[in-house]
Amino acid sequence: MHKRRVLIIDDEENFCKLVKKNIEQTGEFEMHIATNGQDGIRLAKEIKPDLILLDMVMPKMDGADVVSLIRDDDSIKDTPIVFLTAIAKEEESSSQASFTKGYSLLAKTVTVGELIDCIKNNIRR
Amino acid sequence: MPVVFIMIIIAIVIFILIGLVFGYWIAILYQRKRIFASQKPPQQDAVPSQGQFPPQQDVSLPQNTSYLEDKIWYEAELNFLFKFNEKLCSAFGFQDVIRCITEAAHNFLPIQRAVFLTWDKNSEKLTLACAIGWDHGRNQEPLVIGKDSISGFVIRNREPLVVSDLTKEPYLNNLKKEEYLQKAFISAPLIFKNEVLGVLHVCDKKTLKPFMQRDVSVVMNIVRMGAITLQNVLLYEETAKRAAELEKAYDELKEMQDRLIQSEKLKAIGQLASGVAHEMRNPLGIIMQGVAYLEQIIPTETKEPGETLSIIKESAQRADRIVRSLLDFSRASKLELHPENINFILENSLNLVKTELKNIEIVREIQRDLPKVLVDKNKLIQVFINLFMNAIHAMPESGKLIIRSLVKQLEETKNNIVDERLGSFFEAGERVVIIEIEDTGTGISEENLKRIFDPFFTTKGPGKGTGLGLSVSQNIIIMHKGLIEVKSQVGKGTRIIITLRIAKENGGANA
């Protein structure tokens, strides 16, 4: 079976590494890591992921900047995005900043099961 | 001859002496019967305005003739004044003192009516305050008299007026004659330190004898003593009013200060929270992902590492819950208000804690036709869940959870309290929705009750409560311009009362 490609863009490298290990354990996904926005966009154009896990707060280029660059690029503009954040609570996504509207929002302390469910749901959409 | 001459002279002298004695006796008798001409008492008998006391008697007024009668009268007057003074001292309140003055005049003097009117210098009007022997009619409007009346005349002159026949007083003709005044009367103003407080009228002698100097003297003594007491009462009432105003102002200020401190505290925590949450959740996320990874690769039969991992996982989750609670503060500034039915929100919230209820009986005392209230539904659910969970924790074995909702129009009950709710929050007449969540649990001690809304205050064991639940709930209710109160009795249970305003535009909208 063809493995789904998931790109995680987060400045917390250790977090990325562990998420990669956990998600790849399922055998259904192929994880790619970028630890800043620029690398993330470059990698996205290159591998054309099925979904992007994106941290909201990052130095230099934050989640909002990354989203607008992705949406401006025809080759990747339809890629589903799931936001990972340390400060937001998932149930509050509706009242968050406008750029996250319509996207799934997960706390960084989410369980692996919930994370995988969310990825699957967004890819199916 | 000389003897006859001497005898004639002696007889003439005796005759003259008898004539003198008899004439004097006749003169005194005549004076006793002389009707006291209607006249204002002389100047020096006027009510003292600066605490001077006038002479007790005046030569132009009818006098009592016999020494014995005088003695009996003055003894009776002294005895009466002594008792009157005693009564005045025990009188409490303005109306009580007025009643005491009017009754005293009516009881001591042989008169038919005693009427007291109070004087308002601002409106320049007199108001009937007490009448004995005359009925104004209970259901009528209070009797108010202008200054163009006989009472007004007395107040202007600041002296007592003594009238023996009202029909024969041309100088009173252009004044309005009050209906209670009879043919003969004494009208005396109550003056204290130049301030006129009222007028006392005593009307018509029962014996139909003229008013005498001693009658005026008694009335003057009554009004003098009465004026002092009345002024004292007024001062006392004024002081009490000021004290109540000050107390109210102090309470409001304290309430406002408490709220300010609370809101500043919450603001500071909110700012700290969002900063801390970001820094905390990244490493927490790493720990939780790491634990999840290790859980998968460590064989299940290796009990020891598995147990350690689950401890790490639980601790990380606990830390995450604290961060979540902290985040509630930083988010508290935004509300998404919509007209909502509070009963639905209560039911929704109850559904979310259903699994925790176990041996707890739910009693609903819900008012069905509750008007909609402008609230942030999610925030309110958060509050109700918090309160339900607290109630559940307070009843570990079993108990009753009573949920009440009602609409109410607040009434003014005490000085500064509106329906037991502080006036600084709500006004009398305001329509509110009241939500009560009551449990039959362990209750909260008086000491803890004071700190219950303080952030991080908890009585639950380590890891069981963050101490932020009620603090967040209070913040949310305050943001809705509502009020949350706690009433509790140790061993009996706790009642949380939430009062929310019904927005005017939704005042009539039924759910």
Side-chain angles (χ1 to χ4, degrees), chain B residues 326-344:
Chain B
L326 278 168
L327 278 169
D328 289 327
F329 283 98
S330 57
R331 298 280 143 62
S333 57
K334 287 173 255 157
L335 281 187
E336 287 188 21
L337 296 174
H338 298 287
E340 306 277 2
N341 184 330
I342 296 292
N343 289 341
F344 291 166

Side-chain angles (χ1 to χ4, degrees), chain A residues 22 25 86-87 92 108-109, chain B residues 281-282 289 296 320 331:
Chain A
N22 283 328
Q25 281 268 332
I87 37 176
E92 284 182 338
K108 284 222 174 153
T109 46
Chain B
R281 263 197 168 168
N282 275 316
Q289 290 295 328
Q296 286 173 47
D320 189 45
R331 298 280 143 62

Side-chain angles (χ1 to χ4, degrees), chain A residues 10 12 14-15 18-19 21-22 25 55 57 85-92 94-96 107-112 115, chain B residues 274 277-278 281-290 292-293 296-297 317 320 323-324 327-328 331 334 336 378-379 382:
Chain A
D10 193 324
E12 282 283 345
N14 287 335
F15 181 73
L18 287 166
V19 170
K21 282 182 180 177
N22 283 328
Q25 281 268 332
D55 187 14
V57 187
T85 171
I87 37 176
K89 290 202 317 186
E90 47 274 45
E91 63 268 26
E92 284 182 338
S94 62
S95 58
Q96 283 305 307
K108 284 222 174 153
T109 46
V110 69
T111 64
V112 176
L115 181 60
Chain B
S274 56
H278 185 248
R281 263 197 168 168
N282 275 316
L284 274 176
I286 295 169
I287 292 169
M288 283 163 88
Q289 290 295 328
Y293 174 69
Q296 286 173 47
I297 60 161
Q317 281 169 343
D320 189 45
V323 174
R324 265 166 174 269
L327 278 169
D328 289 327
R331 298 280 143 62
K334 287 173 255 157
E336 287 188 21
N378 288 328
K379 292 262 192 299
Q382 191 185 341

